[in-house]
């Protein structure tokens, strides 16, 4: 009797496991994981937005104090201002960043890495559009400083320069990293981090953004990249490719002759026709 009961329970467990496995269950788990990860990454930006909108006193003081201190330095060192203006207006300008991503997308299309090209293009475009939408929704005024050393149009939060640098550097890094020898991979990481942090510093030092604007741009850019990367990882899982770590790039197979295998379309087996 006890053995029969044990076999019955074991059969019930197997039935439940089989019912909750397979493509539908895998899709459900992946969907929940994607939503959870994206929401988790978006929480810091949402918190920053709330603190900015409510003019939280500690953050307000940090913005004002930092802006005034860096502005005094800028007024005392005109050559430093010209150097910062070159960095933010030429080298790390959003147009420069977008042109680099556009060139990358064209190269990927020539390599016939269609889905990776789509990921890069969508990530960069979505980052720009979302940043513009949030900026116009918040309508935060830019800093007003005596004897300003630079001017910028539009609203302040989040920083478009900081967000564009974050998304663009992430795209370039995650796509090109597999082509870099392992011993040299610290270099592109250092360049990307320097560009992202450097852009943020130039915007605050030139008096066209608050510190919280820059942090908001970084956080929103990270959220966008995370969301699109999770979608790309889901595609890799659907095609039977292994998951990748951020340290090895988004698609290690990019250096192969056929970097992206064709999707396998599985059709349901037709039920044999029989008498009804």
């Amino acid at each position: 009797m006890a053995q029969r009961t044990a076999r019955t329970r074991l059969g019930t467990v197997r039935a439940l496991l089989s019912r909750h496995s397979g493509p539908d269950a895998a899709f459900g788990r992946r969907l929940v994981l994607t939503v959870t990860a994206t929401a988790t990454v978006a929480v810091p930006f949402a918190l920053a937005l709330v603190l900015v909108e409510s003019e939280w006193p500690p953050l307000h003081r940090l913005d004002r104090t930092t802006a005034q201190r860096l502005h005094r330095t800028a007024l005392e060192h005109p050559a430093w201002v010209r150097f910062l203006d070159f960095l933010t207006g030429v080298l790390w300008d959003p147009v420069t960043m977008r042109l680099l991503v556009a060139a990358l997308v064209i190269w990927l299309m020539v390599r016939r890495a269609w889905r990776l090209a789509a990921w890069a293009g969508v990530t960069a475009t979505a980052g720009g559009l979302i940043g513009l939408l949030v900026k116009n929704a918040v309508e935060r005024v830019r800093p007003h400083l005596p004897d300003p050393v630079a001017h910028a149009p539009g609203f302040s939060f989040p920083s478009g320069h900081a967000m564009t640098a974050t998304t663009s550097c992430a795209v370039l890094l995650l796509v090109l990293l597999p082509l870099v020898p392992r011993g040299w991979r610290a270099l592109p990481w250092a360049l990307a981090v320097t560009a992202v942090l450097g852009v943020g510093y130039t915007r605050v030092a030139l008096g066209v953004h608050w510190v919280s604007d820059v942090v908001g741009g970084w956080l929103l850019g990270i959220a966008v990249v995370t969301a699109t990367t999770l979608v790309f990882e889901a595609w890799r899982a659907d095609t039977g490719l292994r998951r990748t770590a951020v340290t090895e790039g988004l698609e290690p197979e990019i250096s192969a002759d056929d970097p992206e295998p064709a999707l396998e379309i599985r059709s349901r087996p037709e039920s044999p026709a029989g008498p009804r």
Side-chain angles (χ1 to χ4, degrees):
M1 185 67 179
Q3 291 180 352
R4 183 181 301 174
T5 303
R7 284 197 297 268
T8 302
R9 290 178 178 175
L10 182 59
T12 303
V13 172
R14 287 176 177 173
L16 289 173
L17 290 176
S18 62
R19 184 181 301 175
H20 294 285
S21 60
D24 292 340
F27 171 74
R29 289 192 297 270
R30 190 178 301 135
L31 184 63
V32 171
L33 177 63
T34 301
V35 171
T36 303
T38 305
T40 301
V41 176
V43 164
F45 172 76
L47 177 60
L49 177 58
V50 170
L51 295 179
V52 166
E53 286 283 75
S54 62
E55 296 186 356
W56 189 48
L59 181 61
H60 184 74
R61 286 195 298 271
L62 173 65
D63 282 338
R64 296 286 177 180
T65 302
T66 305
Q68 292 169 2
R69 184 174 66 252
L70 292 179
H71 185 60
R72 287 194 296 270
T73 302
L75 291 175
E76 295 170 359
H77 301 86
W80 179 240
V81 172
R82 289 192 294 270
F83 177 65
L84 294 179
D85 192 57
F86 167 78
L87 291 178
T88 192
V90 179
L91 185 61
W92 294 330
D93 185 74
V95 175
T96 304
M97 294 287 186
R98 290 169 185 147
L99 286 176
L100 289 175
V101 173
L104 177 69
V105 170
I106 294 173
W107 177 76
L108 289 172
M109 294 174 67
V110 172
R111 295 275 296 111
R112 304 183 68 81
W114 306 110
R115 298 179 190 92
L116 194 57
W119 172 82
V122 168
T123 301
T125 303
L129 292 177
I130 292 173
L132 183 62
L133 178 64
V134 175
K135 189 185 290 281
N136 284 277
V138 176
E139 294 185 346
R140 189 186 195 188
V141 178
R142 291 181 183 271
H144 287 289
L145 300 169
D147 300 320
V149 297
H151 299 275
F155 297 112
S156 190
F157 183 90
S159 167
H161 277 68
M163 186 173 179
T164 301
T166 302
T167 54
S168 299
C169 288
V171 167
L172 294 168
L173 186 65
L174 292 176
V175 171
L176 298 177
L177 199 59
L179 303 178
V180 180
R182 289 188 178 275
W184 290 89
R185 288 186 181 178
L187 178 59
W189 276 101
L191 292 174
V193 171
T194 299
V196 171
L197 296 179
V199 166
Y201 174 78
T202 61
R203 303 310 287 169
V204 179
L206 290 173
V208 293
H209 275 296
W210 306 107
V211 171
S212 53
D213 298 335
V214 170
V215 174
W218 289 340
L219 294 175
L220 189 56
I222 291 172
V224 171
V225 173
T226 299
T228 59
T229 299
L230 288 172
V231 173
F232 192 86
E233 284 292 337
W235 167 80
R236 286 183 61 86
D238 288 338
T239 54
L241 297 173
R242 67 178 179 84
R243 290 188 175 276
T244 59
V246 68
T247 54
E248 58 182 338
L250 198 59
E251 191 168 61
E253 300 84 1
I254 189 61
S255 58
D257 294 334
D258 185 16
E260 291 184 2
L263 282 171
E264 295 181 5
I265 302 176
R266 297 180 176 87
S267 58
R268 290 184 177 178
E270 296 182 0
S271 57
R276 300 194 176 189

